[in-house]
């Protein structure tokens, strides 16, 4: 009997584009081997320091308590006018978890990568010894994803990003653990922390946030920093000034 992948079983939120499949968790390209997937759940010293996001928070129906998708109709000078954006559904304090970045995990092999994607986020570097030279895994949300794929870059919209991509751990089902759960790596969008520079800032491109976040107000657009590399590699000029950072 055919089984449904739980990652594809969720109902899309309001304003979801019908041509894109809504996901509640990652899906994987056939080139991502079982060993590569296992590496996402392996305890390590780096993984120990990551934020742990509980099962209830990552449960997709609950994303709507924190974020929503809107088509941007104003202001007239918004650079992504007419496109979608991600908005806070409630006041969210600094460092709060907003939603996971989900999509199709693929290797960085040329034949497994859509070089035209505008939704491809670098995810995890594989261990060089274990995987014969290493290589990376990325998450492409072009054809499938969740609310996170709607987050726009801050440039031309605000002075700085108010949210960031951050590595984290989530609980996933495991038949091998007595408790039935294990921790596995993901990337989430989090509200920028207050105070010091954000340590885990990362990319669609390679953007860093500068911390000092005041949190998000309900209705405010969630803005990340894609990084200059994102715009340069697409020959798009929004990031040509020093305001864009790296
Ligand atoms: C990850 S998508 C963001 C969601 C997108 N607005 C949508 O409706 O699907 C990235 C694309 O959004 C647009 N975008 C995001 N931030 C922008 C900005 N600050 N200025 C201009 N376009 C932006 C660009 O077309 C970019 O390639």
């Amino acid at each position: 009997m055919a089984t449904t992948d739980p990652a594809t079983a969720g109902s899309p939120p309001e304003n979801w584009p019908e041509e894109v499949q809504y996901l509640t968790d990652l899906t994987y390209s056939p080139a991502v081997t079982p060993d590569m997937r296992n590496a996402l759940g392996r305890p390590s010293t780096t993984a120990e320091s990551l934020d742990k996001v509980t099962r209830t928070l990552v449960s997709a129906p609950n994303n709507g308590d924190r974020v929503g998708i809107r088509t941007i109709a104003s202001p007239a000078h918004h650079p992504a006018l007419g496109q979608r954006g991600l908005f806070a559904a409630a006041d969210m304090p600094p460092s709060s978890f907003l939603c996971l970045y989900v999509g199709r995990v693929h290797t960085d092999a040329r034949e497994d990568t859509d070089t035209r994607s505008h939704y491809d986020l670098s995810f995890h570097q594989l261990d060089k010894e274990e995987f014969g030279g290493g290589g990376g895994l990325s998450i492409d949300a072009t054809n499938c994803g969740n609310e996170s794929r709607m987050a726009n870059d801050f440039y031309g919209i605000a002075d700085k990003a108010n949210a960031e991509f951050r590595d984290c751990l989530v609980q996933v089902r495991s038949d091998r653990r007595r408790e039935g759960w294990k921790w596995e790596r993901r990337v989430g969008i989090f509200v920028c922390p207050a105070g010091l520079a954000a340590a885990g800032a990362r990319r669609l491109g390679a953007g860093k946030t500068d911390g000092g976040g005041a949190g998000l107000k309900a209705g405010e657009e969630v803005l990340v920093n894609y990084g200059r590399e994102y715009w340069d590699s697409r020959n798009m000029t929004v990031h040509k000034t020093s305001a864009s950072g790296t």
Side-chain angles (χ1 to χ4, degrees), residues 6 10 56 72 81 96 112 118 124 127 156 167 171 184 221 246:
T56 335
I72 298 160
L81 199 69
S96 327
D112 201 31
H118 294 299
H124 183 57
D127 181 75
D167 293 316
Q171 283 171 304
E184 206 172 81
E221 185 171 358
T246 51

Side-chain angles (χ1 to χ4, degrees), residues 3-238:
T3 52
T4 311
D5 179 351
T8 62
S11 319
E14 254 182 75
N15 298 321
W16 183 255
E18 59 182 39
E19 68 281 10
V20 181
Q21 182 173 35
Y22 186 71
L23 297 181
T24 58
D25 199 2
L26 300 172
T27 60
Y28 297 86
S29 127
V32 178
T33 63
D35 283 346
M36 291 175 185
R37 284 185 65 164
N38 285 340
L40 299 175
R42 196 166 301 150
S44 70
T45 40
T46 354
E48 282 308 305
S49 63
L50 300 179
D51 291 59
K52 287 184 168 169
V53 186
T54 61
R55 295 200 284 280
T56 335
L57 269 181
V58 294
S59 159
N62 298 342
N63 284 350
D65 295 346
R66 298 181 300 270
V67 288
I69 300 166
R70 282 197 220 152
T71 299
I72 298 160
S74 66
H77 56 78
H78 194 297
L81 199 69
Q83 295 186 17
R84 290 177 175 84
L86 185 68
F87 292 82
D91 290 355
M92 302 296 298
S95 270
S96 327
F97 168 77
L98 293 175
C99 53
L100 292 181
Y101 195 88
V102 299
R104 178 178 174 272
V105 180
H106 65 92
T107 66
D108 63 10
R110 186 183 285 264
E111 60 281 7
D112 201 31
T113 302
D114 175 3
T115 52
R116 293 157 308 165
S117 170
H118 294 299
Y119 298 85
D120 206 18
L121 177 77
S122 82
F123 176 30
H124 183 57
Q125 280 304 313
L126 294 165
D127 181 75
K128 284 195 176 130
E129 281 180 23
E130 186 178 355
F131 293 99
L137 298 177
S138 297
I139 302 171
D140 191 352
T142 301
N143 299 314
C144 54
N146 70 358
E147 291 89 336
S148 61
R149 75 189 287 289
M150 308 306 178
N152 287 317
D153 181 278
F154 76 96
Y155 195 66
I157 305 170
D159 291 340
K160 60 180 183 177
N162 54 25
E164 64 183 18
F165 297 110
R166 200 188 291 174
D167 293 316
C168 59
L169 296 175
V170 299
Q171 283 171 304
V172 295
R173 288 262 173 218
S174 168
D175 297 340
R176 292 195 187 160
R177 308 284 162 101
R178 205 166 358 123
E179 61 279 22
W181 298 93
K182 65 172 181 174
W183 291 99
E184 206 172 81
R185 266 176 190 274
R186 293 290 184 274
V187 183
I189 300 186
F190 289 75
V191 181
C192 284
L196 294 174
R202 54 181 304 138
R203 56 181 168 142
L204 271 187
K208 290 194 172 63
T209 53
D210 63 359
L216 288 177
K217 292 276 171 232
E220 195 174 339
E221 185 171 358
V222 175
L223 297 168
V224 291
N225 182 357
Y226 295 177
R228 182 176 302 196
E229 192 189 297
Y230 177 90
W231 299 107
D232 283 351
S233 64
R234 285 162 183 78
N235 238 348
M236 292 162 104
T237 51
V238 304

